[in-house]
Amino acid sequence: MHDEDINSFAGNLRGTLIRASDTAYDGARRLYNGMIDKRPMLIAQCVDSGDVITAVNFGREHGLAIAVRGGGHNGPGFASVDNGLVIDLSMMKGVRVDPKARTVRVGPGCTTGDVDHATHAFGQAVPFGIISTTGVGGLTLSGGHGYLSRQYGLAIDSLIEADVVLADGSFVTASETENSDLMWALRGGGGNFGVVTSFLFRTHPAKMLYGGPIIFDLSHAETVMRWYRAFQEGAPKDFYIWLGLQSVPPGDPFPKEHWGKKMCVLLVAHNGENAEAAVNRIRAELPAPIIDWAGPIAYPALQSMFDALYPTGLQWYWKGDFVETLSDEAIAEHLKHAATVPTPISAMHLYPIDGAVHDRASGDTAWNCRNARWSMVIVGVDSDPAGAGALKDWANGYWNAVHPYDLSGAYPNFMMEEGEARVRATYGDNYSRLASLKAKYDPTNLFHVNQNIRPSA
């Protein structure tokens, strides 16, 4: 790579090109997962689609591996690449709400919290995740599930349109009427097909919910999990509960007498009529909790409730699965491994992906698993890099114990670098179509720093 080539590239960007020798380099290359430390050659901080086109063309023409960064939040660190080019979209953060059309146009550098802030003023929301620092791009392109998914579906089910820079540097718009095959692939196929420079979402009513954590001592976890299994089968779509096995964080606002206790938490989120009465009914059926903070709450506050517990730079190790049934045998394994959770912020969560998610068929979008009831994640998390090995051992041991009771695939955002077999299992019958579309839109696999779908021959 010649200096004059890099200087020319920098001169053709409206944004900033950061090199390894620049003082801004270490800050710009930092990822959400502190366990991942990559050193790209160049970081192009793009400010518009023209910059993205310039960056894609430069990377392709000079044979550089390309990583695309939106929020930089993902577990295996696909937002960066050693010795390659990072196309950093974090400067492209515009949000425009159209309250009449009930849509929101979102830049690819936005976090879900950026969008929540804008849409909340109109009493609307997009069904994103549960931590507001998550990037919209990575979350959406791999499906996107969260508090509103049982009522309104996945994030991709609200995606109307996307502007995309393809591997050849061309710019296209994808929707159900224009480049519809690309739109199908973007709805769950990850970052395999191009760089999205704008998302258009349909919004949905969500202003004040009744929600928050109801926390039980781990001794009651078996009772709570069996109750939760039965509840989920007939739950109304506007009543969402995720279940967690973890520890009470040792700090405010948690009562000091409960710090460090192993717990089973139900995080309730009701976005409908008579919400308090609905939650009261489940309170009456369950053992007495040690903490009950469920109550009226604004949707953005619910979305950002856990942000402070999980700041940028912690050590993370993820394992995920799709779960169709929660058997007594699986519950026993969960309880066995939850009892050995290694740090106060390590956890297992079960997120519901039924309700409105099941209203579409598996072939309607690239996201294939429309029959699962939950998306499970096991996360080992710590602030100390010395604990990385223990986090991996615990998460892998836990996953190996429960995986025989689960489906073969997982939510791509809950996977590390697990290989082609897991990617194929995740997309199931949709994989061959995705591979054909990869061959059409990215035949040389330029965009391969992701949960990669190889182009078919």
Side-chain angles (χ1 to χ4, degrees), residues 58 87 137 147 209 214 245 272 356 389:
F58 182 85
I87 298 177
Y147 291 114
L209 283 69
I214 303 176
L245 299 174

Side-chain angles (χ1 to χ4, degrees), residues 218 245-246 262 329-342 346-348 378 393-403 405:
L218 192 65
L245 299 174
Q246 52 196 106
K262 301 294 190 298
E329 294 79 9
I331 289 173
E333 291 293 342
H334 280 290
L335 297 178
K336 175 182 174 183
H337 290 273
T340 63
V341 63
S346 298
M348 186 287 298
I378 298 165
D393 290 345
W394 174 78
N396 281 313
Y398 193 154
W399 183 84
N400 285 327
V402 298
H403 180 63
Y405 304 101

Side-chain angles (χ1 to χ4, degrees), residues 22-79:
D22 292 340
T23 56
Y25 177 75
D26 281 334
R29 73 182 182 88
R30 188 183 183 203
L31 298 173
Y32 182 77
N33 186 355
M35 196 180 288
I36 310 296
D37 184 27
K38 294 183 179 181
R39 302 190 67 87
M41 179 187 296
L42 299 168
I43 302 171
Q45 293 185 324
C46 301
V47 298
D48 57 24
S49 295
D51 276 357
V52 176
I53 292 170
T54 299
V56 168
N57 287 337
F58 182 85
R60 185 189 66 251
E61 291 164 3
H62 289 86
L64 294 176
I66 293 175
V68 181
R69 176 174 182 154
H73 203 279
N74 105 314
F78 290 143

